[in-house]
Amino acid sequence: MDQQALTVFNSIFSSGSAFVYRCANDENFTMQFMAGQVEKLCGCPTSDILGNAKVSYVGLTHADDIDRVFADVDAAIAAGENWDVAYRLRRPDGTAAWVRERGNAVYDDSGEMVFLEGLVVDASAEVSLRKELEGTLKKTEADNAEILKLAENILRSVQKLSILAINAGIEAARAGKAGQGFAFLAREIKALADENNAWANRITDQMAGRDSTAREKIMRARETDQT
């Protein structure tokens, strides 16, 4: 990607916590291009990661998560699908950040894989909410099994909304007013927002008469999603 592409992507991701990348499919996921909030999530400058200058992206991935990441990426490539995986980035200062990555393999005209590319978004709030919900609801696990399932659905929907919203911004930046892709993504975002409302209503109904603390957490998740 050229300097113009880098400028466009950095502008799109100037706010929020996400970045796009292009890398080799090797043992280090050697980064060839990164744009967005790389330093915010990875804890080091982009220049330290590109070409494994000072650290590889695999080296930044938490040791307890890296085997699962490789397995999910390899499985998706073998199936000709996108991967969608959550893992922790271990920053050089010792802190960790939960992220969610959605990516795909890119092939040339002869069918040879040339690189991997994708989007990495901050997943800290999602993971924190899931832990809080599970901790509260497991007090009566048998009775609340369906609620746990519903909570997972709304969290997955929130994740999809985040990724689609960023993709819509990219399409808008590329195509301007003529961007038909942006219109399509906008419709998808609206559909997912409606889905979130439906899940939230079901969860709220299920929680009626139960633990008020858990019910409040569900409602906060719904309000956050709608904003």
Side-chain angles (χ1 to χ4, degrees):
M1 294 189 183
D2 57 21
Q3 185 60 40
Q4 181 179 2
L6 179 62
T7 301
V8 169
F9 280 118
N10 279 331
S11 176
I12 291 171
F13 297 112
S14 60
S15 62
S17 298
F19 64 84
V20 290
Y21 71 84
R22 175 176 289 176
C23 73
N25 184 29
D26 60 17
E27 68 277 8
N28 291 312
F29 287 146
T30 301
M31 289 292 170
Q32 303 168 357
F33 174 88
M34 303 175 82
Q37 299 296 319
V38 177
E39 186 165 358
K40 182 176 181 180
L41 289 175
C42 297
C44 57
T46 303
S47 57
D48 286 0
I49 309 172
L50 291 176
N52 306 321
K54 292 185 178 181
V55 62
S56 69
Y57 194 72
V58 165
L60 290 170
T61 305
H62 198 288
D64 291 343
D65 299 338
I66 190 61
D67 288 345
R68 177 171 51 81
V69 173
F70 270 116
D72 286 354
V73 171
D74 288 344
I77 292 173
E81 300 173 347
N82 293 341
W83 57 85
D84 187 348
V85 58
Y87 55 90
R88 287 163 291 180
L89 288 175
R90 185 183 55 190
R91 301 185 180 103
D93 65 3
T95 60
W98 273 101
V99 297
R100 184 174 290 276
E101 175 183 332
R102 184 172 177 84
N104 62 276
V106 178
Y107 301 84
D108 62 19
D109 292 338
S110 63
E112 292 292 322
M113 185 189 303
V114 289
F115 49 78
L116 310 179
E117 64 180 11
L119 170 71
V120 177
V121 300
D122 182 10
S124 300
E126 175 186 339
V127 172
S128 177
L129 175 60
R130 180 183 291 114
K131 288 181 178 179
E132 288 184 20
L133 287 171
E134 290 178 349
T136 300
L137 298 177
K138 280 181 179 177
K139 295 176 183 177
T140 53
E141 185 172 355
D143 292 338
N144 291 320
E146 182 178 359
I147 297 173
L148 283 170
K149 182 177 179 180
L150 295 176
E152 288 293 328
N153 276 314
I154 194 169
L155 287 169
R156 279 196 296 271
S157 189
V158 169
Q159 170 248 319
K160 291 178 183 177
L161 277 172
S162 298
I163 292 175
L164 284 175
I166 293 172
N167 285 345
I170 293 172
E171 290 294 327
R174 286 177 173 172
K177 294 181 179 179
Q180 294 181 350
F182 173 70
F184 168 77
L185 288 170
R187 289 195 299 270
E188 290 297 301
I189 291 171
K190 175 62 166 59
L192 284 169
D194 291 342
E195 178 184 328
N196 272 4
N197 283 332
W199 286 121
N201 287 333
R202 288 186 62 186
I203 291 172
T204 302
D205 291 342
Q206 288 285 332
M207 293 304 295
R210 297 174 185 259
D211 187 342
S212 61
T213 301
R215 187 163 60 248
E216 289 171 3
K217 288 175 181 175
I218 294 291
M219 293 303 295
R220 284 202 302 271
R222 181 184 178 188
E223 291 169 0
T224 300
D225 179 52
Q226 290 176 332
T227 58

